[in-house]
């Protein structure tokens, strides 16, 4: 189901444009979500897939008890992630590959944790991405999602509606409702919602932790 005007090619174009300035624009504002998800993952440990790893801003937050594979649709974003891994000498990153989150090239039950910070709102078909994430997580493992969830009403909802008409150029959907995730969970008896946490400082982003039974 294509819920927005986002397509692969306009998302890839958008992030190719964002890549050179991405860290400058988004390192700080989205850091709480990366920190919160990395803290959970460092407690769990194991083999982790970071879907839509982007420029790899989250990679230095992972501990030595974690082995990370990162995938992203956009090569220029991954090039920056590769440079970060080399510059910082990160030894726990196994590979960084171009890959579509909606069509993951990994066998079923390959990872202990699959994390996707700020990605579900940028793919044309979020449900397909969720199905793929669930497929590659081991039973008992976790899926961790961090996203901006759109407001239901009020001035923020109006601003998001205005921005939503520009989602193809922006590369994300600012109107993303919780129901996309909530309805998907409700349809999956093998998935339970462990935690839904609004993140400090201003509650702009939400972290959801799901467990595969
Ligand atoms: C908002 S950025 C988030 C990057 C990173 N997770 C972070 O915390 O900074 C969204 C990322 O998702 C990637 N992306 C978009 N569509 C994708 C898809 N279908 N498959 C894989 N990655 C995708 C973009 O290229 C971009 O790097």
């Amino acid at each position: 189901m294509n819920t927005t005007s986002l397509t692969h090619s306009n998302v890839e174009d958008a992030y190719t444009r964002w890549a050179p300035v991405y860290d400058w624009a988004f390192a700080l504002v989205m850091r709480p979500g990366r920190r919160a998800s990395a803290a959970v993952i460092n407690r769990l440990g194991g083999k982790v897939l970071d879907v839509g790893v982007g420029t790899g801003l989250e990679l230095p937050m992972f501990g030595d008890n974690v082995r990370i594979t990162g995938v992203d649709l956009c090569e220029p974003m991954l090039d920056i992630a590769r440079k970060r891994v080399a510059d910082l000498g990160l030894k726990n990153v196994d590979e960084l590959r171009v890959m579509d989150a909606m069509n993951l090239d990994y066998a079923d039950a390959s990872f202990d944790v699959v994390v996707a910070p700020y990605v579900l709102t940028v793919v044309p078909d979020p449900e397909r991405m969720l199905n793929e994430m669930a497929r590659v997580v081991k039973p008992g493992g976790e899926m961790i999602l961090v996203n901006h969830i759109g407001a239901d009403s009020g001035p923020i909802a109006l601003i998001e509606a205005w921005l939503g008409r520009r989602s193809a150029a922006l590369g994300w959907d600012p109107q993303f409702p919780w129901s996309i995730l909530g309805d998907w969970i409700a349809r999956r008896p093998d998935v339970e919602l462990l935690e839904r946490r609004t993140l400090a400082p201003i509650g702009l982003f939400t972290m959801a932790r799901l467990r595969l039974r």
Side-chain angles (χ1 to χ4, degrees):
M1 178 185 56
N2 192 326
T3 54
T4 71
S5 57
L6 297 173
T7 65
H8 262 173
S9 79
N10 64 33
V11 168
E12 208 179 335
D13 288 352
Y15 282 96
T16 298
R17 284 195 306 275
W18 277 118
V21 295
Y22 184 87
D23 289 2
W24 176 82
F26 298 114
L28 217 57
V29 67
M30 302 196 313
R31 187 179 288 165
R34 296 186 197 100
R35 282 226 170 112
S37 52
V40 172
I41 289 167
N42 289 340
R43 277 203 307 276
L44 297 170
K47 216 175 147 200
V48 174
L49 177 65
D50 194 328
V51 178
V53 64
T55 62
L57 285 165
E58 194 176 30
L59 296 176
M61 299 176 184
F62 294 119
D64 293 339
N65 58 336
V66 171
R67 303 286 333 164
I68 308 135
T69 296
V71 298
D72 200 283
L73 195 62
C74 181
E75 185 86 63
M77 295 288 277
L78 280 179
D79 284 343
I80 297 171
R82 290 186 186 108
K83 182 169 181 321
R84 190 185 311 281
V85 169
D87 288 352
L88 299 177
L90 301 178
K91 302 273 183 278
N92 53 357
V93 179
D94 289 333
E95 67 171 349
L96 295 170
R97 278 176 69 186
V98 172
M99 201 180 291
D100 179 5
M102 299 184 302
N103 192 16
L104 295 172
D105 186 23
Y106 295 107
D108 298 358
S110 293
F111 296 93
D112 299 293
V113 183
V114 181
V115 62
Y118 312 107
V119 186
L120 201 57
T121 53
V122 313
V123 297
D125 189 341
E127 289 172 15
R128 195 165 146 200
M129 173 174 155
L130 290 166
N131 285 335
E132 276 296 86
M133 289 178 71
R135 182 182 67 75
V136 301
V137 181
K138 295 175 186 172
E142 284 199 25
M143 292 167 60
I144 304 178
L145 300 145
V146 180
N147 287 291
H148 171 67
I149 303 295
D152 293 331
S153 57
I156 301 289
L158 290 175
I159 295 168
E160 287 168 353
W162 181 83
L163 282 171
R165 292 194 284 280
R166 287 145 188 86
S167 61
L170 284 171
W172 72 83
D173 177 9
Q175 292 179 286
F176 194 86
W178 170 262
S179 61
I180 292 182
L181 190 51
D183 292 352
W184 180 82
I185 296 168
R187 282 195 300 275
R188 296 279 308 224
D190 56 338
V191 174
E192 70 177 306
L193 178 64
L194 291 181
E195 185 182 3
R196 175 181 173 178
R197 192 196 311 171
T198 304
L199 298 169
I202 51 170
L204 199 56
F205 300 111
T206 296
M207 177 171 75
R209 291 175 55 205
L210 319 183
R211 183 190 288 136
L212 266 286
R213 294 184 215 270

